[in-house]
Amino acid sequence: MRGVGMANPYEVCGEFHVLTDTQAHRWCTTEFRAGRTTTERWVVWDKVAAVPQAKWVGPAPIAPQIAGILETAGETGALPVFVAYAIPFRDAGGASSGGFRSVKEYQAWAKSFARLVGAAPAVVLLEPDTLIHMPGLNAEQRRNRLSCLAFAVQAFKQHAPNTYVYLDGGDGRYNSPESLAPWLLQAGVADARGFAVNVSNYNTTGTCESFAVELRDLLGLPDVGFVVDTSRNGNGPPPDSYIRANPSTWWGNPPGRKLGDRPQYLGDANGFDAKLWVKLPGESDGPFGVAPHSSSSEFLPRVAHELYYGR
């Protein structure tokens, strides 16, 4: 089981690394230089930009994306959190489509990623949404996806011994533990730390924990752990009436959502390793909801501001 006989990165570091290259941080820096003093700017700076968040790493050259973070985190003794997000047919061609074109390209990238992290303590969430999309893929796409995930797990196990790797564990509400457990096992969860729940979603922490504990039991791996994305789940998901009115896009920038609990290591309580901010608050889900003219991952200070107040 991955995690036995290795350093626990949460305990080695004690605190999470705060990114200084997020869109929220850059927006605030620009506004400071312009001399503006608005409540919006204060909220974005203090309640979003200053909170530890995950660095999403795509298929571009790997070193420029993470080398500086590793160096800074090493100097301060903080724990960096990365999201590997470059798998072929990413997001099943949805709003966040992209990634590499072949399994071979992806595997080379994953190996480089793991080697670059090396012995540094780190957390890596491996390809959110990959396993929840499996039912809609054809047989070849499924094989390719599992090959990519299993290879990446082994690459980090071999080259990054102090990294905790978490596979896609679903949203905690609309995916059943019974459907995800077989895919997790085939993707190599036995050699990873565990799985991540609620990435870029809104489900309450309690709902996600109940789901994750059931999924953990089904896996039959007593040492497996899980993390929950709490970045935008402070008010839970949008009401059922909104979901019914927007059945295919309700997850995209729904109104009335709120920032959730700040990142926190929980000390492996019943397998619940940590609460993390994985989705960066204020970055759009695409041209939906309260941001109909935005593009996926575009930073919208108004949306970040509203997430603080929950309106």
Side-chain angles (χ1 to χ4, degrees):
M1 170 64 199
R2 175 70 163 150
V4 176
M6 62 174 288
N8 181 326
Y10 299 108
E11 294 180 349
V12 168
C13 295
E15 62 181 21
F16 293 102
H17 177 65
V18 178
L19 299 175
T20 58
D21 67 342
T22 63
Q23 294 184 79
H25 188 278
R26 290 194 294 272
W27 182 83
C28 289
T29 301
T30 300
E31 293 304 309
F32 276 126
R33 290 174 179 169
R36 291 177 58 181
T37 55
T38 64
T39 301
E40 186 176 69
R41 187 206 64 194
W42 171 78
V43 167
V44 174
W45 180 262
D46 193 63
K47 305 302 181 182
V48 176
V51 178
Q53 298 170 54
K55 174 64 175 180
W56 289 67
V57 182
I62 201 82
Q65 298 186 72
I66 66 174
I69 293 172
L70 290 169
E71 181 179 359
T72 303
E75 291 173 351
T76 60
L79 178 64
V81 178
F82 298 103
V83 180
Y85 201 53
I87 202 162
F89 198 46
R90 191 175 68 189
D91 198 30
S96 297
S97 61
F100 286 103
R101 291 180 295 179
S102 72
V103 171
K104 185 177 180 179
E105 288 178 317
Y106 181 83
Q107 291 178 341
W109 177 86
K111 188 174 183 179
S112 296
F113 196 154
R115 282 180 166 173
L116 186 58
V117 173
V123 168
V124 173
L125 278 64
L126 191 59
E127 304 297 340
D129 292 341
T130 51
L131 296 180
I132 64 170
H133 284 148
M134 292 293 268
L137 303 181
N138 61 41
E140 181 181 6
Q141 290 170 332
R142 291 178 183 179
R143 287 194 299 270
N144 290 345
R145 187 156 289 198
L146 291 171
S147 294
C148 288
L149 295 174
F151 182 94
V153 168
Q154 292 303 318
F156 279 97
K157 181 179 180 180
Q158 179 179 356
H159 300 291
N162 298 313
T163 293
Y164 272 4
V165 173
Y166 298 91
L167 290 156
D168 171 29
D171 58 42
R173 185 181 182 189
Y174 294 102
N175 315 112
S176 71
E178 292 81 6
S179 67
L180 280 167
W183 296 124
L184 277 166
L185 291 170
Q186 291 182 64
V189 71
D191 287 320
R193 171 57 189 169
F195 56 91
V197 178
N198 201 48
V199 173
S200 299
N201 218 303
Y202 310 91
N203 299 304
T204 66
T205 302
T207 296
C208 293
E209 183 175 7
S210 296
F211 170 91
V213 168
E214 184 177 352
L215 177 53
R216 186 171 180 260
D217 290 342
L218 287 173
L219 291 173
L221 301 170
D223 295 319
V224 77
F226 62 89
V227 295
V228 173
D229 182 0
T230 59
S231 60
R232 304 187 297 178
N233 74 345
N235 278 346
D240 290 341
S241 58
Y242 181 86
I243 294 174
R244 287 193 298 269
N246 303 274
S248 61
T249 62
W250 66 265
W251 45 267
N253 311 309
R257 300 314 92 211
K258 191 174 184 179
L259 300 174
D261 292 342
R262 294 169 66 96
Q264 178 186 7
Y265 170 52
L266 299 175
D268 192 21
N270 197 27
F272 195 167
D273 286 350
K275 300 174 183 178
L276 302 174
W277 277 21
V278 185
K279 172 68 177 182
L280 279 58
E283 293 195 3
S284 175
D285 298 311
F288 315 111
V290 298
H293 304 296
S294 66
S295 57
S296 180
S297 298
E298 177 185 356
F299 180 71
L300 304 167
R302 173 180 56 85
V303 171
H305 180 258
E306 296 302 297
L307 282 170
Y308 172 65
Y309 292 102
R311 61 190 185 199

